[in-house]
Amino acid sequence: MIAFVSGTVAALAPDAAVVEVGGVGMAVQCTPNTLSTLRVGRTARLATSLVVREDSLTLYGFADDDERQTFELLQTASGVGPRLAQAMLAVHAPDTLRRAVATADEKALTAVPGIGKKGAQKLLLELKDRLGAPVGTATAASPVVAGWRDQLHAALIGLGYATREADEAVAAVTPQAEAAGGTPQVGALLKAALQTLNRAR
């Protein structure tokens, strides 16, 4: 198993990064939150999980070991594959997921694209004794929620867009973010922002 990769960030895409390790470019699937912390040309260290399928080997990358461990634990629930587990982490931090499961918060899970009410109920039952108790305070996620503009802006700059383009894209998706209420999904906003930039070019 590849526990982590460390090297220079060679390229960034909306859902992945290429990290050069010993002269080899490793493609690593990441959430928008993780991607927003990376910059082309700078050194990065990502905790990783290798998912092996009959027809593919896919490396998933995370900001820290807690994210990676949560990613792997989520997949122990029936019906949860790596893509859905990654989507859950794109919307919620590990501790927010632990709190949602501990408090049986269906609404938090249905905020994840691909999870409906019945799926959320099933996940709450299956994950109850697997994820463990939250380790942070109830307000731990507040700075992330408040900083969605900064996260989105940083992700766009990291993908190579000019500051002016990033500013315009953030402004374009602000109504969508405000309509989402208290917890805008940075991943969904990044996709929407990229669509507006592609139309403008």
Side-chain angles (χ1 to χ4, degrees), residues 163-177:
T163 302
R164 180 184 59 79
E165 291 178 307
D167 290 340
E168 290 173 356
V170 170
V173 300
T174 294
Q176 178 181 332

Side-chain angles (χ1 to χ4, degrees), residues 21-182:
V21 182
V24 177
M26 307 282 281
V28 188
Q29 301 290 311
C30 303
T31 65
N33 290 345
T34 299
L35 289 170
S36 71
T37 67
L38 306 178
R39 297 290 179 274
V40 173
R42 294 191 185 177
T43 301
R45 183 186 189 278
L46 296 171
T48 56
S49 179
L50 180 64
V51 176
V52 181
R53 295 285 185 265
E54 285 185 11
D55 58 349
S56 66
L57 293 173
T58 308
L59 199 59
Y60 290 84
F62 309 93
D64 54 39
D65 290 333
D66 187 24
E67 270 197 6
R68 179 189 62 197
Q69 185 178 18
T70 303
F71 172 78
E72 293 173 348
L73 285 171
L74 289 171
Q75 292 178 75
T76 63
S78 59
V80 179
R83 288 193 178 280
L84 183 56
Q86 192 180 44
M88 292 170 78
L89 286 167
V91 176
H92 298 301
D95 219 41
T96 306
L97 283 171
R98 285 191 284 266
R99 190 174 297 108
V101 171
T103 60
D105 186 353
E106 280 182 30
K107 191 174 179 181
L109 293 187
T110 55
V112 179
I115 298 181
K117 187 173 181 180
K118 287 186 178 179
Q121 292 171 343
K122 187 178 176 185
L123 285 171
L124 289 172
L125 283 173
E126 290 196 33
L127 295 171
K128 189 175 181 181
D129 300 319
R130 301 182 194 180
L131 287 188
V135 295
T137 63
T139 57
S142 298
V144 176
V145 172
W148 70 264
R149 285 183 177 84
D150 291 336
Q151 283 188 323
L152 180 58
H153 194 275
L156 292 167
I157 296 295
L159 290 170
Y161 288 98
T163 302
R164 180 184 59 79
E165 291 178 307
D167 290 340
E168 290 173 356
V170 170
V173 300
T174 294
Q176 178 181 332
E178 291 174 347

